[in-house]
Amino acid sequence: MSDPNRTIPRRAVLAGLAATPLLATAARGQGAWPKAGTIRMVIPFPPAGATDVIGRIVAERLGAIWGNQIVVENKGGAGGNIGTDQAAKAAPDGNTMLVVSVGMATNPYLYKSLPYDPVKDFEPVSLMAMVPNIMVVPPNHPAKSVAEFIALAKAKPGTMSFGSSGIGTSVHLSGELFQKLTGTKMIHVPYKGTAEAKNDLIAGRLDCIFDNITAALPQAQAGTIRALGITTARRSKLAPDLAPINDTVPGFDVSSWFALFVPAKTPPAIVARMNADVKAVLAEAEVASKLGKLGGEIVGSSQQELAAFLKSESDKWGALIKEIGVKAG
């Protein structure tokens, strides 16, 4: 997710990475890390979700580079808080990594209290990828465009609805930001997942969902739902004909994002090597192809860029969450 003033570019950071694997290999000969044994990658969500899939793609290649087995541990629950807390309390020795998404920025505002601090308890490694959502409506919905949808919503304030995969998700916050920027008022209907929400959408019981492009695009192409626009400010290679909502609603720019963190006090040399190797992995053609099929835009940021990005996301969504008064627990 980003806004026009964001501090990190939304493009693949590929320049100069060709030599990175060699540099990383040389560095491994000079230090004691990674040691023989297992490295954990904590995914604070159930298997098969976007965070899990992207994490596993990166973990497979890092394991090959490091010569270590990387075990992916899915620790779902409480909006990602259970797994994130476990990672925060792990030994800062480079043997525990955490892959997170937007909840790292929004959960401090959604929950009354957290057992961890997203900034103080973690060291940023790299922002790996971003995945857009798309705005979809039932196949027989009267709105054929974003502009027509806005006009209908304004004509019937408080009667149209949008579904989401849960409070505080990018699917939910996309709808909240849409309402704020368009001056519309809709009913939010949270579900346990977007699959259930789309069933109601297809049946006409919902007016729209801002769903992940990977899950929604095949159904839109099959005609079971209709896509009106993409949530990012730029078009996606997966759906080049789908115009950004931003073209109609200036300032609207939302993505799901996926980043790598490690526990605070992990030695700086280890974090720096992780960052270099993650960027090298993301520059590989096979990895880029796999992420591209998910709709992912590769980033591969520096540690400092991820820290700045997390702050910008926290400021952006924290303000909106406070304004609408939504709480997850």
Side-chain angles (χ1 to χ4, degrees):
M1 289 176 261
S2 67
D3 56 39
N5 298 315
R6 65 178 299 166
T7 57
I8 184 171
R10 299 191 53 192
R11 62 180 184 275
V13 184
L14 301 179
L17 288 179
T20 302
L22 295 178
L23 294 174
T25 301
R28 278 191 289 279
Q30 301 171 7
W33 185 91
K35 297 179 181 179
T38 298
I39 296 176
R40 293 194 307 155
M41 175 180 280
V42 178
I43 309 288
F45 300 100
T51 309
D52 177 67
V53 173
I54 290 172
R56 288 177 186 273
I57 291 172
V58 174
E60 180 182 7
R61 290 299 302 132
L62 287 179
I65 290 174
W66 294 341
N68 287 64
Q69 180 184 13
I70 298 180
V71 176
V72 176
E73 295 185 1
N74 295 93
K75 301 288 185 180
N81 289 331
I82 292 175
T84 302
D85 181 47
Q86 288 189 12
K89 293 176 170 56
D93 55 8
N95 291 331
T96 298
M97 301 180 291
L98 173 73
V99 179
V100 293
S101 188
V102 64
M104 197 70 159
T106 59
N107 282 356
Y109 302 96
L110 291 168
Y111 292 83
K112 293 179 181 178
S113 63
L114 293 179
Y116 63 89
D117 186 299
V119 176
K120 295 180 180 179
D121 291 338
F122 291 96
E123 293 289 342
V125 178
S126 181
L127 177 62
M128 299 188 295
M130 307 180 81
V131 177
N133 296 331
I134 57 177
M135 182 180 183
V136 293
V137 299
N140 60 348
H141 199 276
K144 302 295 192 300
S145 67
V146 174
E148 290 182 3
F149 187 94
I150 294 172
L152 287 171
K154 286 185 174 181
K156 302 177 180 179
T159 61
M160 294 179 68
S161 60
F162 73 99
S164 81
S165 52
I167 294 174
T169 62
S170 69
V171 180
H172 169 213
L173 295 177
S174 294
E176 297 291 356
L177 183 62
F178 183 84
Q179 292 183 95
K180 178 181 178 180
L181 295 180
T182 60
T184 56
K185 185 176 181 180
M186 296 187 288
I187 301 169
H188 172 224
V189 184
Y191 293 77
K192 293 181 179 180
T194 53
E196 296 178 13
K198 275 185 291 189
N199 287 337
D200 279 353
L201 183 79
I202 294 170
R205 290 187 286 270
L206 289 173
D207 287 287
C208 75
I209 305 174
F210 295 84
D211 195 17
N212 182 271
I213 190 171
T214 309
L217 186 59
Q219 289 176 287
Q221 292 171 334
T224 57
I225 56 179
R226 182 192 302 146
L228 298 186
I230 193 165
T231 62
T232 48
R234 296 184 300 178
R235 293 176 186 251
S236 168
K237 293 180 180 178
L238 276 187
D241 296 331
L242 195 57
I245 296 172
N246 183 73
D247 289 357
T248 305
V249 186
F252 189 90
D253 187 6
V254 181
S255 292
S256 296
W257 51 266
F258 306 90
L260 186 68
F261 288 81
V262 292
K265 299 183 180 179
T266 298
I270 293 178
V271 182
R273 284 177 49 195
M274 281 186 175
N275 173 268
D277 286 347
V278 167
K279 290 193 289 187
V281 164
L282 292 172
E284 293 177 358
E286 184 177 354
V287 172
S289 175
K290 288 179 178 179
L291 293 179
K293 291 177 181 177
L294 297 174
E297 177 184 349
I298 294 174
V299 181
S301 76
S302 69
Q303 298 166 235
Q304 295 76 18
E305 287 171 329
L306 175 53
F309 176 75
L310 179 62
K311 184 180 186 305
S312 70
E313 286 288 276
S314 297
D315 291 345
K316 173 182 179 178
W317 295 116
L320 179 62
I321 290 168
K322 287 180 180 178
E323 180 180 329
I324 62 180
V326 63
K327 289 292 181 182

